[in-house]
Amino acid sequence: MRSSRVDDMALLRQMRAEIPRPDPARILSGRERLVEAINGDPARLRAFSIRQLSERNDMTFMKKPDARASAQPDDSPTRARAGRRPALRVVLVATAAFAVGATAVSVLDDNDAHTAVSASVDSSRMQRVSVATVLNAAAVLERRQEKTVAPRDDQFIYTKEIISEREQKTGSRKSYVDENWTSVDGSKRSWVMELGKGWWSAPARQQGETWPPADWGSLKKLPTEPDELILAVMSPGAGTHKSVADIKKSEWPDVHFALASLLYRVPVMPEGLRPAAFEALAKIPGVTASSGVKDAKGRAGVAIAYTDKRQQSGWDTVLIFAEDTHEFLGFKNTRSSDSGGGKNYDQLSYLDSYAVVDKVKQRP
């Protein structure tokens, strides 16, 4: 009997050596979902038997790295979605994985009332997932792969964004390429585009105080700790709060609007600011996470949405994160035709590339 157990452990160690260790984002995602399942419904946790795991093939540590994705340069603004999970030896490897590290198991908590499907995301096939799991894992991944951007005051930040539109009634589609050159210190005119049309924007210094800030210096002053960032973005009229716990229910919609605007209108940020914004969003009551959406490139994603009940139509911009890695992919929103006629459009957009350049309309 002892010899048999030794042989089994040797086999487990050999199999564990063949399995790539999960990265920090995956470990965080699995740990949070497992804790949620334990705290929410112990009976439900027991239902996740080895047989069910093998049928669902829902183990993050079984994922093979995609050679094409790993071959991409580090400065790519978007990364290819990793390959499909292999189905071979699922049952036996599941046993080994529970013995070595159960925190890597991916568990969906359908009982989380904080993750109801938002009205902004219209898909009957969506499943509820954890807001905190998605956004906190996205923050971990963002901190690990973000590049430090240190532009000079006299330079411009170039961004290239791709927008895909679908007219709701007819289903007709159209794509746009928007290129923007934003003055770093706000002292020069910037060139901005929207749906393929461009114009000169007055220097930020002539525009007065705006949100989000249009100059790099003001962005760098924003906190990179989530609680501090929440307090910093609050409207001056809201008064001074010493902690997030002091924020009133009626004040949270304005906090969300400020954070969502920051993420939507500032595609390139100082180091640490974007992950802090993700973590700050995870703390806002009423933010929802729903799987079953696709981004502009057709990749499976999770939609992070919010509805301001004080208004007939709240901030309808939805953030999309990769379903597997929780990497930030882009945005989904709707718009009405400027020319009238009752036409409404569904939009998907993402940041294709960015760079620091010396002149307006200079491409990298």
Side-chain angles (χ1 to χ4, degrees):
M1 179 68 70
R2 178 178 177 82
S3 175
S4 175
R5 284 199 294 267
V6 170
D7 291 343
D8 289 344
M9 291 306 298
L11 176 59
L12 291 178
R13 283 194 294 271
Q14 177 185 352
M15 294 177 63
R16 181 64 187 88
E18 299 174 358
I19 304 172
R21 292 188 179 277
D23 59 32
R26 289 190 177 281
I27 292 176
L28 176 64
S29 172
R31 182 183 295 113
E32 287 190 356
R33 290 177 178 176
L34 187 61
V35 170
E36 287 173 0
I38 293 172
N39 293 336
D41 189 351
R44 191 159 175 264
L45 176 66
R46 291 194 296 271
F48 280 91
S49 63
I50 302 302
R51 176 173 174 272
Q52 285 175 307
L53 284 171
S54 66
E55 290 174 349
R56 288 179 54 183
N57 198 11
D58 194 21
M59 298 161 54
T60 57
F61 49 76
M62 282 291 295
K63 190 167 155 45
K64 287 185 178 178
D66 191 321
R68 292 174 297 179
S70 61
Q72 276 193 306
D74 291 340
D75 59 350
S76 173
T78 57
R79 295 170 189 269
R81 183 186 176 196
R84 298 173 62 87
R85 299 183 181 97
L88 300 177
R89 302 200 300 179
V90 171
V91 176
L92 192 54
V93 174
T95 306
F98 272 103
V100 176
T103 58
V105 179
S106 176
V107 179
L108 289 180
D109 184 3
D110 296 329
N111 295 324
D112 189 352
H114 185 58
T115 59
V117 177
S118 168
S120 299
V121 186
D122 50 355
S123 173
S124 60
R125 295 177 298 174
M126 289 184 179
Q127 296 178 335
R128 294 173 293 177
V129 293
S130 168
V131 170
T133 295
V134 174
L135 289 172
N136 290 334
V140 170
L141 186 61
E142 185 73 20
R143 286 193 178 97
R144 191 183 66 191
Q145 69 182 22
E146 68 179 341
K147 289 191 63 178
T148 301
V149 180
R152 299 192 313 267
D153 286 347
D154 62 336
Q155 292 182 307
F156 294 82
I157 296 176
Y158 165 80
T159 58
K160 179 180 179 181
E161 298 176 84
I162 309 299
I163 299 96
S164 176
E165 277 196 345
R166 175 185 175 275
E167 206 276 312
Q168 292 180 350
K169 290 183 179 180
T170 65
S172 61
R173 298 177 183 272
K174 193 171 183 180
S175 296
Y176 303 91
V177 178
D178 286 353
E179 295 179 288
N180 298 272
W181 286 263
T182 305
S183 174
V184 169
D185 67 355
S187 65
K188 302 177 179 63
R189 292 192 307 169
S190 299
W191 178 261
V192 296
M193 293 187 71
E194 185 175 348
L195 299 180
K197 297 179 180 179
W199 63 90
W200 290 102
S201 175
R205 295 177 181 177
Q206 298 178 13
Q207 300 177 23
E209 292 189 9
T210 60
W211 183 263
D215 63 289
W216 193 260
S218 296
L219 291 171
K220 287 195 68 174
K221 293 178 182 178
L222 292 175
T224 55
E225 194 281 325
D227 282 7
E228 294 179 6
L229 181 59
I230 288 175
L231 297 176
V233 304
M234 293 193 67
S235 169
T240 302
H241 296 301
K242 294 183 179 180
S243 72
V244 171
D246 297 332
I247 298 177
K248 300 176 183 178
K249 183 178 180 181
S250 60
E251 296 171 332
W252 279 114
D254 293 331
V255 174
H256 174 267
F257 181 82
L259 289 171
S261 298
L262 177 67
L263 290 166
Y264 185 68
R265 302 193 183 281
V266 186
V268 181
M269 297 185 186
E271 186 176 5
L273 184 54
R274 188 182 303 278
F278 290 157
E279 292 170 334
L281 278 179
K283 295 175 177 287
I284 298 179
V287 173
T288 64
S290 306
S291 64
V293 298
K294 291 187 177 181
D295 77 336
K297 293 184 177 181
R299 295 171 292 189
V302 176
I304 299 295
Y306 180 83
T307 300
D308 184 355
K309 295 182 179 179
R310 302 176 308 170
Q311 303 175 2
Q312 291 182 350
S313 59
W315 175 265
D316 62 357
T317 297
V318 175
L319 283 71
I320 303 178
F321 296 83
E323 194 174 66
D324 49 4
T325 65
H326 300 329
E327 177 187 8
F328 179 56
L329 300 179
F331 300 94
K332 174 183 182 295
N333 55 24
T334 59
R335 76 170 182 93
S336 299
S337 174
D338 295 334
S339 59
K343 291 185 177 181
N344 295 307
Y345 301 85
D346 294 323
Q347 285 186 348
L348 292 170
S349 61
Y350 66 94
L351 178 65
D352 180 76
S353 61
Y354 68 91
V356 176
V357 296
D358 295 328
K359 299 178 181 179
V360 173
K361 298 193 177 181
Q362 175 187 357
R363 293 183 177 84

